[in-house]
Amino acid sequence: MSGRAQLMWDEAVTGYDFGPGHPMDPVRLALTMRLVEAFGLDKAVRVVAAKPAGESTLRLVHRQDYIEAVRTASADPRSADPAYGLGTPDDPAFAGMHDAAALIAGQSVAAAEAVWRDEALHAVNFAGGLHHAMPGAAAGFCVYNDAALAVARLLELGAERVAYVDVDVHHGDGVQAAFWEDPRVLTVSLHEHPRTLFPQTGWPEETGAPEAEGSAVNVALPAGTGDSGWLRAFHAVVPELLAAFRPQVLVTQHGADTHFEDPLAHLTVSLDAQRLVAESCHALAHEHADGRWVALGGGGYAVVDVVPRSWTHLCAVAAGRPVEPGTAVPEDWRHEAYRRTRQWGPLRMTDGLRPEWRDFTAYGYDPADRLDQAILATRRAVFPAHGLLP
């Protein structure tokens, strides 16, 4: 198996652009790639531009009528049909939308193929992670669900067990929906509680269809959860489930919108904790999936201060060349960020924190603590289905 990491990148993914004023500004993708290059990480990985996902690939998850609706809106945005989630404030139609969305999907599918075929041990597509798109509708800034398509392609290639772990601040509802009835796929989502955040799903009681009981796992975190709670919840749920499930491939989604600077949500996680979770996912892939790891981006709307640094750390971890948190951000990149956004970028690759967390099983839990209540609700809902004690 190749030890090299693969980074999926085509500058054309920045054409996934909902227009001025929309939170998902594609400058976040361009600035991430420029920061990856500024650290020389593009020399430590194989950079690959894959083809857009074709119709047969898109149909692994999406309905034919929906694909046709996206094509129609892509050719004439004025014809977008809100019944398909298109032409809405969250998902405005734009010219070329189908091509841009299919290109992002193609990068994630190619990443999965490379890892499954042993062409790469790890593969990253930080432009991906568009986890809200449903089989028949756009939702939450997501047109095609590249994450679900990557998992579906792994199944098509013969994978019997695929684990998907989503640490975006929003529930990974589209991926959960795609595999709700499929026991071959374990979907785990840690997200802000549905009472306080879109898409108002991801309750611990959502555990999969009867024929796939325990295959959907949801940790609904109280608003305001910070580093210690976020890391405690991750380690209280994810490692034990992966050990029991024994995935052949680990697919992870690293939305950076858990950060305390993110304008669209209410968790208070630092860049330093996000980096630790990326390292944990890397280690878990080696421990439980022979190192096969597909890592995707996702949400993240602090497009200068947070997203480029978070995903550069992700790429660095995958490349086996982690960037020390205290490292200075290259000055040339800061000038590039200012040129593009009129906003000066951060000075260092850290928020200056050293996150610590207490192990749930080693230290016990506090029944009066809202975070521990959330953890226990998830463990009670799904652990028995995997032969584990809650």
Side-chain angles (χ1 to χ4, degrees), residues 77-389:
R78 295 169 298 178
S79 68
D81 187 347
Y84 289 104
L86 301 169
T88 64
D90 272 5
D91 295 272
F94 60 91
M97 179 173 61
H98 166 80
D99 293 338
L103 182 63
I104 289 174
Q107 309 310 304
S108 292
V109 169
E113 291 172 344
V115 167
W116 183 253
R117 292 169 174 163
D118 294 346
E119 295 165 4
L121 190 58
H122 312 320
V124 180
N125 177 27
F126 58 74
L130 305 181
H131 59 170
H132 294 307
M134 293 292 176
F141 314 161
C142 306
V143 176
Y144 292 136
N145 196 320
D146 66 284
L149 288 164
V151 173
R153 179 61 174 143
L154 287 166
L155 298 177
E156 187 179 50
L157 290 171
E160 297 173 350
R161 294 179 309 282
V162 180
Y164 171 78
V165 176
D166 187 321
V167 297
D168 193 288
V169 80
H170 301 92
H171 177 224
D173 56 340
V175 184
Q176 174 179 287
F179 304 106
W180 183 253
E181 300 174 348
D182 195 334
R184 297 174 297 173
V185 181
L186 176 71
T187 63
V188 184
S189 178
L190 285 84
H191 47 266
E192 185 179 328
H193 200 285
R195 282 198 191 97
T196 54
L197 194 66
F198 174 91
Q200 283 80 52
T201 57
W203 299 79
E205 296 80 12
E206 298 171 31
T207 58
E211 61 270 31
E213 182 61 36
S215 66
V217 181
N218 289 289
V219 188
L221 301 169
T225 297
D227 287 358
S228 60
W230 193 62
L231 294 168
R232 178 172 168 85
F234 180 92
H235 288 283
V237 172
V238 177
E240 285 183 74
L241 286 173
L242 292 185
F245 186 69
R246 297 179 297 111
Q248 293 162 297
V249 185
L250 178 62
V251 180
T252 56
Q253 196 267 23
H254 298 264
D257 43 9
T258 52
H259 195 272
F260 55 76
E261 286 187 23
D262 198 89
L264 299 190
H266 319 98
L267 296 191
T268 57
V269 173
S270 73
L271 182 81
D272 302 285
Q274 292 175 345
R275 177 180 179 273
L276 289 178
V277 161
E279 290 183 335
S280 293
C281 288
H282 177 226
L284 288 166
H286 280 282
E287 189 172 349
H288 301 298
D290 293 325
R292 294 190 183 97
W293 182 31
V294 178
L296 309 173
Y301 309 101
V303 299
V304 176
D305 277 351
V306 178
V307 174
R309 290 188 297 163
S310 185
W311 292 346
T312 296
H313 276 304
L314 176 66
C315 293
V317 169
R321 282 187 38 190
V323 175
E324 284 299 316
T327 304
V329 172
E331 194 66 20
D332 288 349
W333 182 87
R334 297 185 69 242
H335 283 279
E336 174 71 4
Y338 184 81
R339 184 185 70 80
R340 287 175 176 257
T341 67
R342 289 298 179 261
Q343 180 181 340
W344 284 108
L347 293 171
R348 298 197 176 276
M349 294 293 288
T350 178
D351 287 328
L353 300 176
R354 295 179 180 272
E356 296 180 353
W357 53 276
R358 293 190 310 141
D359 184 78
F360 186 79
T361 51
Y363 286 87
Y365 67 94
D366 178 356
D369 182 81
R370 290 172 64 216
L371 176 80
D372 280 6
Q373 290 170 5
I375 292 170
L376 194 57
T378 299
R379 289 172 62 105
R380 283 175 172 162
V382 296
F383 271 38
H386 295 271
L388 301 170
L389 293 174

